[in-house]
Amino acid sequence: MAATGGCGRSTLAAGLADALHRRGRAVLALDLDPANALALHLGATAAPERGIGHAPDGDWPATALSNSDGVRILPFGTPPLPMLLRFERELAERPGWLREQLGRLAVPDDTIVLVDTPRLPSVLALHAASAADHVLVVVSAEPIAYATLDRVERLQAAKARFVVNAFDPQRPLQQDLLLLLRDRLGARLLQEVVHRDTAIADAQARNRALPVDAPYSQAAEDLQQLCTRLLHRLGASAP
């Protein structure tokens, strides 16, 4: 999750889902963002029409997708605006909704469920944070991201870890902000950063996974390091 837009939240969620799957882990990528972009980042040629937003208490597996690499995706879909607003109003009164729905899915215990959320403040993001065992907050090394950290620092603080995405070491401002983030967040900020890399957009344009399209790119290496860190945090041994 994140407090600002444009930090590459969905791109990073898709990259981690792919990287974990390639490590042999069972992964379910769940899109709770009405932008409905996660499936596109995982290779869909068009945004899925049906999804969680149409059936908040319905048969989620009926809308599930799998990409050509075998990553499973539950899309949000594109519900009409009145349906979406009604959905969000109902969720404000049901704090345990997402945990209940995940329980109904009965996914195997070894499955890693990655949830992409809207930026805060959002009732959907709050549901994800409440249900999650671990919360990864995506931030950019930009002034607006630093200024809005207070939105997420108090949210599930014991669970939350932060990662800097789209980092450009050639920009002195970003170098300075990275130092400020490390000073403010301490051990909650992962040492691994994901660099800005045109290989990501190129791979998406060719509808190919980054490790296939540009296996030696900086971003591919960054994702592998971040994947290893997350597996260690989950208590798993990385293959």
Side-chain angles (χ1 to χ4, degrees):
M1 65 177 55
T4 60
C7 62
R9 195 174 53 247
S10 297
T11 304
L12 188 57
L16 285 174
D18 181 76
L20 288 165
H21 178 75
R22 291 175 188 277
R23 297 272 188 110
R25 300 305 305 265
V27 178
L28 174 63
L30 193 156
D31 194 351
L32 272 192
D33 188 348
N36 196 37
L38 187 60
L40 292 173
H41 287 295
L42 283 166
T45 56
E49 292 187 8
R50 302 289 301 177
I52 293 168
H54 291 87
D57 292 313
D59 185 10
W60 286 9
T63 63
L65 307 169
S66 292
N67 70 6
S68 59
D69 293 314
V71 179
R72 293 176 295 160
I73 311 152
L74 279 174
F76 190 85
T78 54
L81 182 58
M83 181 183 294
L84 175 60
L85 294 177
R86 184 169 62 250
F87 176 24
E88 292 187 339
R89 284 196 302 269
E90 291 174 358
L91 295 192
E93 306 298 326
R94 298 175 58 187
W97 166 77
L98 182 56
R99 190 173 291 277
E100 292 171 6
Q101 297 308 307
L102 291 173
R104 289 174 58 184
L105 283 178
V107 295
D109 291 340
D110 63 346
T111 300
I112 298 173
V113 180
L114 288 174
V115 183
D116 186 27
T117 75
R119 68 180 183 181
L120 292 166
S122 161
V123 66
L124 289 162
L126 292 174
H127 271 277
S130 176
D133 295 318
H134 303 277
V135 174
L136 184 64
V137 182
V138 183
V139 296
S140 58
E142 298 289 351
I144 186 64
Y146 188 83
T148 55
L149 275 180
D150 59 335
R151 292 185 186 176
V152 291
E153 280 191 289
R154 294 186 298 272
L155 175 67
Q156 301 294 332
K159 300 179 183 180
R161 293 297 182 271
F162 296 73
V163 61
V164 173
N165 191 36
F167 179 67
D168 184 353
Q170 301 302 315
R171 292 181 57 196
L173 176 62
Q174 289 210 351
Q175 293 183 25
D176 292 343
L177 282 165
L178 179 59
L179 292 175
L180 287 173
L181 287 166
R182 285 175 173 162
D183 182 65
R184 178 167 174 175
L185 296 172
R188 291 179 296 164
L189 180 67
L190 302 184
Q191 289 298 308
E192 295 81 4
V193 301
V194 181
H195 292 79
R196 183 179 298 279
D197 192 339
T198 58
I200 297 175
D202 291 345
Q204 290 174 349
R206 286 188 277 267
N207 202 21
R208 301 175 68 187
L210 182 63
V212 174
D213 195 68
Y216 303 110
S217 63
Q218 180 65 64
E221 175 63 25
D222 294 341
L223 281 171
Q224 288 302 319
Q225 292 184 7
L226 183 57
C227 181
T228 297
R229 168 72 68 154
L230 294 181
L231 284 171
H232 178 74
R233 181 162 173 76
L234 289 170
S237 56

